[in-house]
């Protein structure tokens, strides 16, 4: 009798660090291990420290990694997995493979730079601070990526079949349905809203015995009528331009930049904002934009975005870091889109350092801001912010435009579960802070589903029709 065990390694009780391990025949001397996502923890130091902990099993024993999508919190630890001995195959959709390359290269550069910076400033407790991984580790990771098609079952051997279903969260994103001889498991990945401003809507995947669902917004509904139509953003741009200031939009390089640009284009078309130069100040965001605009992915985009060509915008590409510095002294109002979206790193930091102390400027936050990030502090009205070891006064206006979220809200998450056929026996709420994950389990219970917030490190046995905690007696 074959057995299937599911271990919750990351994103349990927190939003980042998605990693789930499927183990076949855990009771035998040579079990088969398949990892679903290999994400990095982001946010507060206690969480980031987990990026340095050992994988629960030697990475050399993992045969395959299945990726739901390219975001850092789902792919960011792949180079570390490889550095520590993983030699198997990393399966993902074509756009995910392309975007993952961008994400991992950028991540390795940041890791290397942070380690150098820590050494130069004497921040680190270590005499020679080591980066989590280097660009050379990324170079060894990329050849392991293998592309799969949506909706096409992939036979992984040992009776395991995996299928990727469009999730409408970012380009290439998918939910992954895995069937084993013992039962079926559906990994939601990150789920988009019913509608995405740029991408075609998500599709309903086949149901499964066990479902893992993200719960980023498990306790929230998105739309408050006063925040509809991106009016907070449009209003902020008009006000800021009138007082001669500029608008800084911290945005995740992958997807959020595309969504922000598409929104600015619509606002421009509707005559709701003045025509200002729009600087995309992030090489990573620009690379990602190229991929979104590539004709081979036209199928994944909504027809009405016309391949995301954006003719109505005065988009200016900023690749060079000196040009990026020059943007801190704009000679006329402009809009700057820069990464990272939660102001945890990247060029947006030096813009914040220059723009926050000046009350003419505005910072527009675009979506989820994780606990412990500078973005979260700004959203919560911080009067000062620590950057590069020093405090900076916050006098600029800070505006949130919640409509930018590309995660499903509570009722959209529930709709996704309710549409599954057959309905799941058990639903594990992952990828959410404890409160939102718990709130989602309550909503699920009201609909007659068993919702569980797994603990980090918890293992459960997958069985058609029922799941038992490891250690429980199985009859
Ligand atoms: Zn994501």
């Amino acid at each position: 009798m074959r057995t299937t065990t599911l271990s919750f390694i990351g994103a349990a009780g927190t939003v980042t660090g998605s990693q789930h391990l499927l183990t076949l025949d855990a009771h035998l001397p040579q079990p088969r291990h398949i990892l679903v996502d290999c994400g990095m923890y982001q946010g507060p130091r206690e969480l980031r420290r987990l990026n340095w902990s050992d994988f629960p099993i030697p990475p050399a024993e993992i045969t395959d990694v299945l990726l739901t999508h390219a975001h850092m919190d789902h792919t960011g630890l792949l180079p570390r997995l490889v550095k520590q001995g993983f030699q198997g195959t990393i399966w993902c959709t074509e756009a995910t493979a392309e975007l993952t390359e961008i994400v991992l290269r950028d991540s390795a550069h940041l890791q290397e730079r942070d380690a150098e910076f820590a050494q130069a400033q004497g921040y680190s407790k270590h005499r020679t601070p080591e980066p989590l991984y280097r660009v050379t580790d990324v170079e060894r990771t990329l050849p392991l990526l293998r592309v799969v098609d949506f909706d096409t079952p992939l036979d992984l051997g040992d009776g395991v079949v995996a299928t990727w279903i469009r999730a409408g969260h970012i380009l290439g994103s998918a939910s992954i349905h895995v069937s084993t001889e013992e039962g079926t498991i559906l990994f939601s990945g990150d789920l988009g809203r019913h509608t995405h401003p740029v991408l075609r809507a998500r599709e309903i995947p086949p149901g499964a015995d066990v479902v893992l669902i993200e719960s980023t917004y498990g306790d929230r509904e998105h739309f408050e009528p006063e925040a509809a139509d991106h009016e907070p953003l449009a209003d902020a741009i008009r006000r800021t331009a009138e007082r001669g200031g500029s608008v800084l939009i911290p945005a995740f390089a992958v997807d959020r930049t595309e969504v922000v640009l598409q929104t600015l284009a619509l606002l421009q078309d509707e005559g709701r904002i003045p025509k200002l130069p729009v600087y995309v100040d992030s090489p990573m965001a620009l690379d990602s934009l190229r991929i979104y605009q590539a004709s081979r992915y036209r199928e994944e985009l909504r027809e009405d975005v016309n391949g995301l060509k954006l003719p109505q915008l005065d988009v200016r590409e900023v690749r060079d870091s000196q040009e990026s510095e020059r943007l801190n002294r704009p000679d006329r109002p402009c809009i700057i889109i820069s990464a990272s979206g939660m102001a945890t790193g990247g060029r947006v930091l030096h813009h914040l350092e220059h723009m926050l102390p000046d009350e003419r400027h505005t910072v527009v936050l675009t979506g989820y801001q994780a606990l412990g990030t500078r973005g979260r502090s700004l959203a919560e009205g911080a009067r000062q912010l620590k950057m590069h070891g020093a405090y900076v006064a916050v006098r600029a206006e800070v505006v949130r435009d919640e409509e930018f979220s590309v995660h499903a809200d509570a009722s959209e998450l529930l709709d996704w579960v309710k549409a599954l056929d057959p309905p799941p026996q058990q639903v594990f709420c992952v990828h959410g802070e404890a409160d939102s994950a718990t709130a989602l389990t309550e909503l699920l219970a009201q609909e007659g589903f068993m919702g569980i917030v797994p603990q980090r490190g918890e293992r459960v046995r997958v069985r058609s029709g029922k799941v038992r905690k490891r250690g429980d007696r199985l009859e």
Side-chain angles (χ1 to χ4, degrees):
M1 173 69 186
R2 309 208 68 147
T3 64
T4 306
T5 314
L6 179 62
S7 310
F8 299 90
I9 307 177
T14 182
V15 173
T16 58
S18 267
Q19 283 186 63
H20 313 292
L21 186 69
L22 268 181
T23 302
L24 267 66
D25 300 334
H27 59 293
L28 296 181
Q30 285 199 315
R32 168 102 186 254
H33 297 290
I34 297 171
L35 191 63
V36 180
D37 284 341
C38 189
M40 185 180 274
Y41 284 100
Q42 294 165 296
R45 192 182 299 267
E46 315 86 81
L47 275 183
R48 280 183 284 132
R49 198 171 288 141
L50 294 172
N51 291 325
W52 293 87
S53 51
D54 283 332
F55 292 95
I57 53 162
E61 292 178 15
I62 299 171
T63 58
D64 306 83
V65 180
L66 319 181
L67 296 181
T68 59
H69 66 292
H71 273 152
M72 267 289 272
D73 56 332
H74 295 258
T75 61
L77 285 187
L78 284 171
R80 183 166 161 82
L81 194 75
V82 171
K83 190 179 172 181
Q84 297 198 335
F86 173 75
Q87 292 179 330
T89 306
I90 304 165
W91 303 95
C92 60
T93 65
E94 188 180 2
T96 297
E98 285 203 66
L99 292 171
T100 296
E101 174 168 356
I102 294 175
V103 166
L104 294 184
R105 284 187 191 283
D106 182 77
S107 169
H109 282 299
L110 284 178
Q111 300 291 336
E112 289 185 6
R113 217 173 46 204
D114 283 355
E116 280 165 24
F117 192 75
Q119 186 170 20
Q121 301 290 314
Y123 282 173
S124 172
K125 293 185 210 73
H126 309 281
R127 195 154 295 172
T128 45
E130 261 296 298
L132 195 55
Y133 51 80
R134 297 177 180 277
V135 175
T136 48
D137 300 308
V138 174
E139 301 296 350
R140 290 168 53 216
T141 304
L142 298 175
L144 304 180
L145 292 168
R146 291 271 299 273
V147 167
V148 295
D149 289 326
F150 283 110
D151 306 316
T152 309
L154 171 72
D155 188 346
L156 291 166
D158 291 323
V160 182
V161 176
T163 311
W164 278 252
I165 303 101
R166 206 181 302 279
H169 167 63
I170 68 169
L171 194 73
S173 68
S175 299
I176 305 178
H177 182 278
V178 179
S179 65
T180 72
E181 286 176 14
E182 248 204 326
T184 50
I185 310 116
L186 176 63
F187 300 87
S188 75
D190 286 0
L191 292 173
R193 326 261 331 250
H194 281 310
T195 57
H196 183 288
V198 173
L199 300 177
R200 272 173 51 194
R202 69 191 193 199
E203 276 162 18
I204 301 169
D209 300 311
V210 174
V211 166
L212 277 75
I213 186 170
E214 67 128 322
S215 53
T216 314
Y217 284 126
D219 59 348
R220 301 254 306 269
E221 298 294 333
H222 283 312
F223 284 111
E224 289 135 32
E226 65 272 20
D229 284 339
H230 292 287
E231 191 46 32
L233 171 68
D235 202 26
I237 293 173
R238 292 191 298 263
R239 264 196 318 267
T240 309
E242 265 167 37
R243 60 177 184 246
S246 288
V247 178
L248 175 63
I249 309 180
F252 298 99
V254 178
D255 194 77
R256 195 63 49 86
T257 300
E258 285 76 12
V259 171
V260 169
L261 286 171
Q262 170 66 12
T263 304
L264 292 173
L266 286 176
L267 294 175
Q268 191 83 69
D269 273 347
E270 292 166 3
R272 291 164 60 198
I273 55 170
K275 187 148 190 168
L276 302 175
V278 179
Y279 293 94
V280 179
D281 181 17
S282 157
M284 185 180 168
L286 290 168
D287 290 342
S288 151
L289 183 60
R290 292 273 173 286
I291 294 174
Y292 269 71
Q293 290 172 328
S295 54
R296 60 188 172 282
Y297 298 124
R298 208 139 175 163
E299 269 288 284
E300 286 198 49
L301 303 189
R302 279 164 59 142
E303 260 177 48
D304 58 345
V305 305
N306 194 23
L308 208 60
K309 296 296 180 220
L310 310 163
Q312 54 283 73
L313 289 183
D314 177 11
V315 176
R316 305 187 184 187
E317 305 194 348
V318 184
R319 289 196 176 267
D320 181 74
S321 62
Q322 282 168 350
E323 203 185 336
S324 170
E325 298 275 351
R326 276 198 296 278
L327 284 181
N328 288 321
R329 293 176 297 281
D331 46 10
R332 64 180 176 116
C334 64
I335 297 170
I336 303 168
I337 304 173
S338 189
S340 73
M342 298 190 278
T344 48
R347 289 182 180 179
V348 78
L349 289 191
H350 76 79
H351 293 311
L352 285 169
E353 268 182 291
H354 281 83
M355 293 174 76
L356 283 177
D358 186 336
E359 66 266 5
R360 289 175 307 160
H361 300 314
T362 300
V363 178
V364 181
L365 300 169
T366 57
Y368 189 78
Q369 303 293 325
L371 209 58
T373 60
R374 293 186 188 88
R376 179 77 159 242
S377 303
L378 279 177
E380 289 175 348
R383 314 293 293 173
Q384 58 275 319
L385 213 56
K386 198 172 187 181
M387 273 174 292
H388 299 134
Y391 281 98
V392 172
V394 179
R395 295 195 198 94
E397 205 184 329
V398 176
V399 174
R400 284 183 94 165
D401 186 336
E402 302 279 348
E403 233 181 311
F404 275 116
S405 173
V406 287
H407 280 278
D409 66 17
S411 33
E412 288 167 326
L413 291 171
L414 207 54
D415 287 349
W416 184 83
V417 175
K418 279 154 66 179
L420 297 175
D421 181 23
Q425 303 292 326
Q426 318 215 350
V427 182
F428 290 93
C429 301
V430 296
H431 198 285
E433 282 168 17
D435 288 352
S436 27
T438 306
L440 185 59
T441 61
E442 279 153 23
L443 291 173
L444 285 164
Q446 285 165 20
E447 298 288 337
F449 295 103
M450 185 192 291
I452 302 147
V453 183
Q455 300 294 308
R456 186 168 62 242
E458 184 173 346
R459 286 191 285 182
V460 295
R461 174 116 178 244
V462 177
R463 283 182 121 183
S464 191
K466 55 187 162 184
V467 172
R468 295 298 174 93
K469 279 190 183 177
R470 193 184 163 86
D472 283 1
R473 204 155 51 84
L474 295 162
E475 55 271 289

